[in-house]
Amino acid sequence: MNLIRIEPVNKNNWEEALSISLPKSQEKFVPSIIESLAWAYIKPWDEAFDPYILSKEDKTFGFFYLSYTPNSTNNFWIGGFQIDKEYQGIGLGAQSLQRILEFIQEMHRQCEEISLTIEKRNDHARKLYEKLGFVNQDKENQDGEIIYKLKLK
């Protein structure tokens, strides 16, 4: 049983989201949580932009957002995925990503494909995503990040 909970960031837990911090060496690989929460308000890429916290045993340890076009089958993007520095190295990254994939399939049953981008120098993230089946598309986004996709159906 996966004990990782996913909750929308809201007025009751946004401060928990902001408490998540990364080692300095990882900060350049993902947008800050404040930046991600601003994007949730602005929705710069798609019609929907939903930020979430990850928690286990009442401890918030991670964050991600889902940017997507409602009712689409292939325009779902995971972004800003991060695990607090105090919780890294114990397998929560892989467990969380697996839970995120399950969550997307539960909430958006029509979803057939999930995309994300990885900074070129972020080998740790690349290995994690490839381990879970994401495939390098040999394409870059406007920021020079590599696009990966996972087919669900």
Side-chain angles (χ1 to χ4, degrees):
M1 182 172 142
N2 198 328
L3 301 175
I4 294 173
R5 285 192 336 277
I6 296 175
E7 301 172 46
V9 176
N10 60 39
K11 66 182 180 181
N12 300 316
N13 64 17
W14 66 273
E15 291 175 296
E16 289 176 47
L18 294 181
S19 74
I20 295 165
S21 63
L22 296 173
K24 286 275 182 229
S25 63
Q26 294 175 4
E27 289 176 356
K28 63 186 171 285
F29 294 140
V30 293
S32 71
I33 291 175
I34 285 193
E35 192 174 23
S36 296
L37 293 178
W39 290 339
Y41 178 74
I42 297 166
K43 298 174 182 41
W45 303 294
D46 295 308
E47 294 173 50
F49 194 106
D50 301 335
Y52 297 97
I53 56 170
L54 299 159
S55 58
K56 188 172 187 172
E57 298 169 2
D58 294 326
K59 301 272 193 253
T60 297
F61 66 83
F63 176 87
F64 75 99
Y65 60 77
L66 184 63
S67 176
Y68 61 99
T69 300
N71 302 315
S72 73
T73 59
N74 64 354
N75 194 33
F76 290 83
W77 292 79
I78 296 171
F81 177 54
Q82 52 194 286
I83 303 295
D84 186 90
K85 62 186 174 190
E86 300 296 320
Y87 294 89
Q88 292 186 11
I90 56 174
L92 280 176
Q95 290 174 40
S96 296
L97 188 56
Q98 186 62 48
R99 179 67 189 106
I100 290 167
L101 296 174
E102 292 167 4
F103 176 78
I104 293 170
Q105 292 174 85
E106 291 163 10
M107 300 301 291
H108 304 279
R109 296 201 180 278
Q110 79 283 5
C111 178
E112 296 176 4
E113 183 177 80
I114 300 172
S115 304
L116 52 80
T117 61
I118 302 174
E119 288 278 344
K120 290 178 184 174
R121 297 179 318 280
N122 194 346
D123 288 332
H124 185 77
R126 181 185 51 75
K127 288 175 187 168
L128 172 63
Y129 293 127
E130 288 177 353
K131 179 177 148 186
L132 287 171
F134 282 86
V135 177
N136 184 334
Q137 302 300 295
D138 292 319
K139 294 180 188 166
E140 295 180 9
N141 70 359
Q142 68 276 8
D143 298 321
E145 300 164 335
I146 309 297
I147 297 172
Y148 279 72
K149 291 187 182 289
L150 174 69
K151 298 258 189 237
L152 298 175
K153 299 177 181 178

